[in-house]
Amino acid sequence: MEVTFSISPRILSHLGEDLIKNESIALFELIKNSYDACAEHCIIDFNFQNGKLRSLTIEDDGFGMSSEIIETVWLVVGTDNKKKKLEPNQCGRIPLGEKGIGRLSIHKLGNKITLISKAEGSNEVELNIDWNKLSKAKDINDFSIELIENVRPKTFLNSTGTKIIVEDLKTDWDRRQLREVHRNITSLNSPFSDGNDTFRVLAKSNTNIFEGLPDFEDIKNSALYFGHCRMRGGEIVDFKYNFKPWSSLDRVDSGRKVVLKDLLDEDKIIKKWNSETREFEDIDLDESKVGTIEFDIIIFDTDAQIFSYVNAEKTALKTYLRENGGVRVYRDGVRVYNYGERDNDWLGIDLKRVHRVGGNVSNNIVIGSVKIRRDSSTGLVEKTNREGFIENEHYFDFVEAVNYALSLIVRERNTDKALLTTLYKKHRSVEPVLSDLNEVMTLIEAKVDNKEVKDEILKYLYRVNDQYKEVKEVLIKSANAGLNLGIVIHELDKLIAELTGCIERNDKDKAIRISLSLEKIIRGYSAMLKKSDIRLHSLSEIVSVALDNYEFRFLDHSIKIISNWKSSNLNAYLAKAESISVVTNLLDNAIFWLSYARKSDRYISVYITDQIKGYNSIIVSDNGPGFNLPLDVAVEPFQTGKPHNIGSGLGLHVAKEMMIAMKGKLLLISDENEIDFPKPIKDNKANKAIVSLCFPKEKK
């Protein structure tokens, strides 16, 4: 039996070259066909002869094809046979192919194609194509394709399925390329499969070409942090985080678990951050036509001081992560290419790490899986070249939702990473430069007998000591000013826009009020930038200026202030500019968390008190959700409890350093009863997220 293509075979050959860009994608398209055929297994066999790859065999145990299907569908380019069948087939799978071009991938791989297939109730069919004959044909009609029906099956004796043999390969595959293809084939299997779909892809060879490639279970056991999140509609409906320390990390008492009930109610709402409005916007995955998202991630720790304890071959592990790290996407259990490849940072993971020094992960320390269903993710449309989804509004909501889940898991990971760093770090964290200088000075005093030489050396060391303190002071002050600068500019933009509207409407009274607000903000920010010495100041003055700085923001966010600054007469030793800046920083944090929690009644308390022994203090608290990080972690640099890891994670750390520089201290207080708050603060429950700025009563 002979049939001919319904279009020119020469066109078909070119289509195969142009639409299927590389060998991995070509193989992937054939694997997708096996999935659509309800196969449980797809085996890719690399056959070598005399040290050279001679043929590829792709075999599955799917429902196979009859001669009629091969002639009317498989040999016809661009049929919409699958697109018409977006409902689940007999094994519950929705077909992955849409364009009718996946079969062209075979012709990308080799010149000689043998296809053997058997469907239930049909004879086994054998198809042979030899593209070398095309170059010898004088007329297109001279090129025919042999299609044979085997009444007695040769391959599928008691089963159904499809077997494709590709010979006379078009690419001379080297060892490195083959191992890369093996990794890509292996990655088609989701490492987080829940067993509902039994489809597995296997790669094998008659040589040792794939020897030494890591087994995924060994890789998985080398990780420390594990996250799982399922999102449906506008909410997170399941959340799990596990910190699983290796037995070799014997300084850690135990691991840690976080589940859905441990999250704040507001954390459970899926959201994206609008950098222009500086506000969160809700995401509804049903409205976005994305459907349920199941996100799993494994996070490794390759920092030298921790990685040395891993019970695995370190070079192989790092190589595997470098080659396979990233977050991949699976639709109905099969990978959507090329998310998770080294050149596709689709979640912006590495970009966020560049923009923010600490607190983020990178693609080469994570292995992640995003699972979606074909029937509910109709808003995600694959590109014609099979390299990802078309970047429409549904796709961007999909990316933002995954990023949101990732940020919650990374927030928990940062807590445990901070613990490990504290337990296993080799260097001191408290003033390492000054400490080392003091040791050197002590050593010189004891070991150098010549007074002239000793004094000369010590002179330079004292100079280094003083310069270090000056540079540190400038950097801390600049950092704190920088933390507030973005907020100030944002508020100025809003006020100026409102002022412009008032002028256009000839609303003189409101224009005057806004102008006064602008003047207050500029004056307040200028006060934060002025150099000031430590001397006795009124705490009421500090609070007054800080509250004036944010008067417009309090109105804008419907926040009420509870404060005793007008009645307090407490003084303390402090640097005025730095103190205003620190209080402003704390107010900004409180505004964020009150807005995040979407409370209808919002209160911030700024309470001046002498209840903390040896200090007069300014205590800032609110009626928001409270701390969501351990207190010792919250003051470390680059640690933030904010979703999407927005912000620098430096606010409380810089505040702590500035308080130390002023001979005071910063306290985070978890027990609301530790401070005897006045009745208005207690009645309005504005005693959460308590931060106390403790200023010395006497000069030190």
Side-chain angles (χ1 to χ4, degrees):
M1 177 181 180
E2 294 186 350
V3 298
T4 57
F5 284 108
S6 60
I7 66 170
S8 166
R10 196 177 300 278
I11 295 175
L12 176 64
S13 180
H14 289 319
L15 281 171
E17 293 291 335
D18 293 339
L19 292 175
I20 309 300
K21 299 295 185 182
N22 61 49
E23 290 75 15
S24 291
I25 296 179
L27 286 172
F28 171 60
E29 288 298 325
L30 298 177
I31 291 167
K32 284 173 68 174
N33 285 343
S34 297
Y35 176 86
D36 291 344
C38 287
E40 292 188 7
H41 296 93
C42 178
I43 300 172
I44 316 294
D45 192 354
F46 296 82
N47 182 50
F48 285 79
Q49 293 177 15
N50 300 321
K52 187 174 182 179
L53 182 65
R54 295 298 182 185
S55 66
L56 294 171
T57 302
I58 303 98
E59 183 172 358
D60 67 50
D61 54 358
F63 49 58
M65 294 179 285
S66 65
S67 59
E68 181 184 0
I69 292 295
I70 290 176
E71 183 176 352
T72 60
V73 178
W74 199 85
L75 289 175
V76 179
V77 178
T79 60
D80 59 355
N81 182 61
K82 293 180 182 178
K83 194 160 188 173
K84 291 176 181 176
K85 300 178 180 178
L86 290 183
E87 69 277 0
N89 56 20
Q90 55 261 51
C91 59
R93 297 176 187 167
I94 293 176
L96 296 174
E98 292 182 2
K99 307 294 189 301
I101 60 172
R103 69 206 67 148
L104 299 177
S105 56
I106 300 172
H107 310 290
K108 167 71 178 179
L109 298 172
N111 290 311
K112 292 183 179 181
I113 313 296
T114 301
L115 181 145
I116 305 168
S117 190
K118 186 178 187 308
E120 186 72 33
S122 298
N123 291 331
E124 182 181 274
V125 184
E126 185 173 337
L127 173 71
N128 293 282
I129 302 174
D130 186 351
W131 288 106
N132 295 315
K133 293 180 180 179
L134 180 62
S135 61
K136 300 176 183 178
K138 295 180 180 180
D139 186 274
I140 194 65
N141 294 320
D142 293 337
F143 182 75
S144 60
I145 296 171
E146 186 181 32
L147 182 61
I148 302 171
E149 290 194 19
N150 299 323
V151 178
R152 292 185 178 180
K154 298 178 181 179
T155 302
F156 298 99
L157 303 179
N158 299 302
S159 61
T160 61
T162 299
K163 181 176 183 178
I164 299 173
I165 304 168
V166 184
E167 299 171 288
D168 191 10
L169 302 178
K170 293 183 177 181
T171 300
D172 188 14
W173 304 41
D174 60 28
R175 183 180 180 87
R176 182 179 178 277
Q177 185 181 13
L178 282 163
R179 290 169 71 86
E180 177 68 17
V181 169
H182 181 279
R183 292 186 186 97
N184 288 332
I185 291 172
T186 303
S187 74
L188 293 171
N189 302 301
S190 170
F192 307 98
S193 176
D194 55 10
N196 292 334
D197 196 329
T198 57
F199 183 64
R200 305 297 292 173
V201 185
L202 306 173
K204 67 177 186 176
S205 173
N206 61 342
T207 69
N208 64 351
I209 188 73
F210 303 133
E211 186 178 3
L213 289 173
D215 177 82
F216 185 76
E217 284 305 311
D218 294 334
I219 297 294
K220 188 175 179 179
N221 291 334
S222 300
L224 286 170
Y225 319 100
F226 301 80
H228 168 80
C229 183
R230 189 166 73 251
M231 296 173 279
R232 183 188 306 129
E235 294 184 314
I236 293 174
V237 295
D238 190 24
F239 184 89
K240 296 184 185 72
Y241 165 83
N242 275 342
F243 167 49
K244 299 179 181 179
W246 313 311
S247 58
S248 54
L249 296 172
D250 53 8
R251 299 177 200 172
V252 183
D253 292 335
S254 62
R256 189 171 71 96
K257 292 183 179 180
V258 178
V259 295
L260 185 65
K261 66 181 179 62
D262 298 320
L263 298 181
L264 299 172
D265 287 340
E266 190 55 36
D267 280 342
K268 299 171 187 175
I269 306 299
I270 308 168
K271 54 185 73 69
K272 58 186 174 183
W273 176 250
N274 188 320
S275 57
E276 293 185 3
T277 63
R278 297 184 63 81
E279 293 180 352
F280 284 107
E281 298 174 358
D282 293 349
I283 295 174
D284 189 312
L285 296 174
D286 291 336
E287 289 182 5
S288 299
K289 298 181 181 179
V290 174
T292 300
I293 297 175
E294 194 161 346
F295 175 54
D296 292 272
I297 193 166
I298 300 170
I299 305 176
F300 298 78
D301 198 325
T302 56
D303 287 353
Q305 55 196 4
I306 306 300
F307 196 59
S308 60
Y309 290 88
V310 71
N311 185 25
E313 207 288 305
K314 297 175 180 58
T315 302
L317 176 57
K318 281 194 171 183
T319 300
Y320 181 89
L321 291 175
R322 185 173 63 250
E323 298 292 334
N324 295 278
V327 179
R328 295 180 168 88
V329 177
Y330 298 84
R331 181 138 72 166
D332 285 357
V334 174
R335 186 176 170 193
V336 179
Y337 226 84
N338 59 350
Y339 299 114
E341 291 299 292
R342 281 175 291 176
D343 59 348
N344 187 356
D345 185 18
W346 67 285
L347 290 173
I349 292 176
D350 290 333
L351 185 62
K352 286 193 283 282
R353 187 177 178 88
V354 170
H355 286 171
R356 188 164 177 266
V357 178
N360 280 313
V361 294
S362 57
N363 277 304
N364 63 352
I365 63 168
V366 304
I367 296 176
S369 161
V370 178
K371 291 192 285 189
I372 53 177
R373 291 189 57 83
R374 177 70 178 277
D375 54 0
S376 59
S377 61
T378 55
L380 301 176
V381 182
E382 285 190 55
K383 297 176 183 177
T384 304
N385 64 1
R386 302 300 196 188
E387 294 189 1
F389 298 119
I390 294 172
E391 295 179 359
N392 55 25
E393 59 180 326
H394 307 302
Y395 170 77
F396 290 123
D397 278 350
F398 168 64
V399 172
E400 291 286 356
V402 176
N403 259 322
Y404 179 68
L406 174 63
S407 73
L408 296 182
I409 293 168
V410 169
R411 182 180 73 189
E412 300 302 331
R413 167 263 192 181
N414 288 346
T415 296
D416 295 310
K417 182 172 175 60
L419 169 67
L420 287 180
T421 302
T422 301
L423 292 174
Y424 289 93
K425 62 190 173 185
K426 297 177 181 178
H427 304 289
R428 290 158 295 183
S429 62
V430 181
E431 298 289 1
V433 175
L434 294 183
S435 178
D436 289 345
L437 276 175
N438 288 333
E439 287 182 12
V440 173
M441 290 176 185
T442 302
L443 190 63
I444 290 171
E445 290 280 5
K447 299 293 185 181
V448 179
D449 295 327
N450 188 308
K451 186 177 185 306
E452 185 177 345
V453 174
K454 180 190 297 185
D455 291 345
E456 184 70 14
I457 295 172
L458 290 175
K459 179 181 71 174
Y460 288 107
L461 291 179
Y462 284 127
R463 186 181 300 173
V464 170
N465 185 77
D466 293 340
Q467 289 175 347
Y468 170 82
K469 289 180 178 178
E470 290 176 8
V471 170
K472 180 186 173 185
E473 183 179 344
V474 170
L475 289 176
I476 290 176
K477 186 173 180 179
S478 299
N480 201 59
L483 291 173
N484 293 298
L485 180 58
I487 301 297
V488 172
I489 292 174
H490 181 67
E491 294 306 312
L492 290 176
D493 281 344
K494 290 172 66 175
L495 282 171
I496 290 170
E498 193 168 343
L499 179 60
T500 302
C502 291
I503 293 171
E504 290 173 349
R505 296 191 305 270
N506 200 28
D507 188 345
K508 296 180 181 177
D509 292 339
K510 189 171 183 180
I512 291 172
R513 290 198 302 273
I514 292 174
S515 298
L516 289 173
S517 295
L518 281 168
E519 190 273 336
K520 274 185 178 181
I521 291 176
I522 297 297
R523 177 158 40 88
Y525 193 72
S526 298
M528 286 190 278
L529 294 176
K530 292 177 181 177
K531 182 173 176 60
S532 56
D533 299 323
I534 296 176
R535 60 184 181 84
L536 197 64
H537 282 282
S538 163
L539 295 185
S540 291
E541 181 186 6
I542 303 301
V543 172
S544 174
V545 175
L547 292 177
D548 278 349
N549 286 350
Y550 277 173
E551 180 181 10
F552 182 77
R553 289 194 72 198
F554 297 143
L555 290 172
D556 193 36
H557 291 274
S558 302
I559 294 173
K560 300 179 181 68
I561 301 299
I562 305 172
S563 181
N564 64 337
W565 71 268
K566 291 182 179 179
S567 60
S568 173
N569 57 5
L570 294 180
N571 300 317
Y573 283 88
L574 52 86
K576 181 179 177 181
E578 286 80 351
S579 300
I580 294 171
S581 185
V582 171
V583 174
T584 304
N585 188 356
L586 299 183
L587 291 174
D588 179 60
N589 269 343
I591 292 170
F592 173 87
W593 286 109
L594 286 173
S595 301
Y596 180 77
R598 307 185 192 194
K599 298 182 72 70
S600 54
D601 295 322
R602 302 173 179 180
Y603 291 93
I604 293 177
S605 163
V606 186
Y607 178 46
I608 301 173
T609 180
D610 60 356
Q611 292 183 42
I612 297 174
K613 187 176 180 180
Y615 299 93
N616 287 333
S617 305
I618 299 173
I619 299 179
V620 179
S621 56
D622 57 62
N623 69 329
F627 295 115
N628 61 1
L629 290 177
L631 303 189
D632 57 336
V633 173
V635 294
E636 290 298 310
F638 313 119
Q639 301 296 328
T640 178
K642 296 178 181 178
H644 284 298
N645 244 2
I646 60 174
S648 64
L650 287 172
L652 287 176
H653 175 71
V654 170
K656 181 187 77 170
E657 291 297 316
M658 292 188 74
M659 291 303 298
I660 291 172
M662 289 185 285
K663 313 300 182 185
K665 63 181 179 180
L666 179 143
L667 291 179
L668 304 187
I669 300 173
S670 59
D671 182 1
E672 60 194 49
N673 296 312
E674 192 172 313
I675 302 295
D676 185 16
F677 284 109
K679 189 173 185 296
I681 297 176
K682 293 179 180 178
D683 289 348
N684 291 291
K685 299 181 180 179
N687 50 2
K688 303 290 190 299
I690 304 168
V691 183
S692 179
L693 303 175
C694 307
F695 301 97
K697 294 180 179 180
E698 299 177 358
K699 194 167 185 177
K700 294 185 179 180

